[in-house]
Amino acid sequence: DAGVTQSPTHLIKTRGQQVTLRCSPKSGHDTVSWYQQALGQGPQFIFQYYEEEERQRGNFPDRFSGHQFPNYSSELNVNALLLGDSALYLCASSSLTSGASTDTQYFGPGTRLTVL
Amino acid sequence: AQSVTQLDSQVPVFEEAPVELRCNYSSSVSVYLFWYVQYPNQGLQLLLKYLSGSTLVKGINGFEAEFNKSQTSFHLRKPSVHISDTAEYFCAVSDFDTDKLIFGTGTRLQVFP
């Protein structure tokens, strides 16, 4: 049973560019959450998708947007990249239909984004 | 709003010694509590979680944690650590209405032979 997968593993972009990160949830999961982990910090919640809708959002600007597809996979898009967007981006999946907030979130290995 | 404080940024310990990683949280509502571990260049793996019931929670790899509501703490313990326990450990909370995780800044556990 495949866990949460993310692509690409690493990415280098320059300021002002746009980037798309991808996530496939664990089998049987319908909810995807995205987190940003800056170097030496804990992960920070960006947003969560369920039933192809953004269900909740953290304190991130509109440059950060996402999408969820009918197969539950998800994309994170970041426009107008800043140096401060350099971080590890983690995707986590869970199942809202199985019991809401008590369900465990399973994390993928992350995408390391470097903005030059 | 909730917040999590991990009091120690680094904890050095010798192999086979006991260890405690401290976590305090702040919340105006009841919360769920979690400990995750992150090995180098990897994602997060759940060690254990407290949802309700017994305040002593046992997790994987011999770790356990105790929920103390009066002290708003959820400290992680292991009676005897191994070299392979060297990693970054994160404490997190979520409230009953959302499953958004709020993480602490992490504690680096370094186990020496």
Side-chain angles (χ1 to χ4, degrees):
Chain A
D1 174 30
V4 180
T5 59
Q6 293 186 243
S7 63
T9 306
H10 296 87
L11 205 51
I12 300 175
K13 292 286 188 178
T14 57
R15 281 177 296 175
Q17 285 190 311
Q18 178 264 343
V19 68
T20 297
L21 311 182
R22 295 175 177 82
C23 172
S24 291
K26 184 177 167 63
S27 178
H29 284 180
D30 53 20
T31 303
V32 173
S33 301
W34 287 93
Y35 293 81
Q36 180 196 65
Q37 186 179 15
L39 199 61
Q41 300 296 317
Q44 292 200 348
F45 177 79
I46 303 175
F47 44 52
Q48 183 183 78
Y49 278 82
Y50 172 66
E51 293 188 334
E52 303 179 49
E53 298 275 341
E54 185 181 288
R55 180 172 173 260
Q56 50 185 321
R57 189 180 182 92
N59 285 333
F60 279 80
D62 292 344
R63 298 187 297 109
F64 290 77
S65 63
H67 188 78
Q68 185 178 34
F69 299 93
N71 67 352
Y72 307 120
S73 67
S74 176
E75 289 182 348
L76 164 66
N77 300 292
V78 187
N79 295 322
L81 284 168
L82 304 174
L83 295 179
D85 295 332
S86 294
L88 180 68
Y89 288 85
L90 296 164
C91 167
S93 75
S94 56
S95 176
L96 265 180
T97 54
S98 77
S101 58
T102 63
D103 191 52
T104 297
Q105 292 191 35
Y106 290 84
F107 283 80
T111 294
R112 175 73 62 188
L113 172 64
T114 301
V115 182
L116 302 177
Chain B
Q2 295 116 19
S3 65
V4 176
T5 301
Q6 291 186 243
L7 298 163
D8 306 296
S9 59
Q10 296 187 64
V11 173
V13 64
F14 287 108
E15 195 174 20
E16 298 184 9
V19 70
E20 177 180 84
L21 306 184
R22 297 180 293 169
C23 172
N24 286 87
Y25 69 93
S26 172
S27 177
S28 58
V29 298
S30 296
V31 295
Y32 299 130
L33 294 155
F34 306 81
W35 275 98
Y36 281 86
V37 61
Q38 187 175 36
Y39 298 102
N41 300 313
Q42 294 187 29
L44 302 175
Q45 180 183 9
L46 181 70
L47 279 176
L48 48 80
K49 61 183 178 183
Y50 172 79
L51 303 179
S52 64
S54 172
T55 57
L56 184 62
V57 181
K58 294 191 182 297
I60 62 171
N61 301 340
F63 285 94
E64 63 181 33
E66 185 156 18
F67 170 57
N68 188 319
K69 188 174 182 179
S70 63
Q71 297 188 7
T72 61
S73 67
F74 190 55
H75 301 332
L76 181 70
R77 302 185 182 99
K78 186 170 183 177
S80 176
V81 295
H82 190 267
I83 294 285
S84 61
D85 292 323
T86 294
E88 192 84 22
Y89 291 78
F90 292 95
C91 181
V93 302
S94 69
D95 64 36
F96 288 179
D97 294 327
T98 78
D99 52 2
K100 174 178 73 173
L101 291 170
I102 307 297
F103 286 89
T105 53
T107 297
R108 170 82 176 154
L109 175 63
Q110 181 73 52
V111 182
F112 295 95

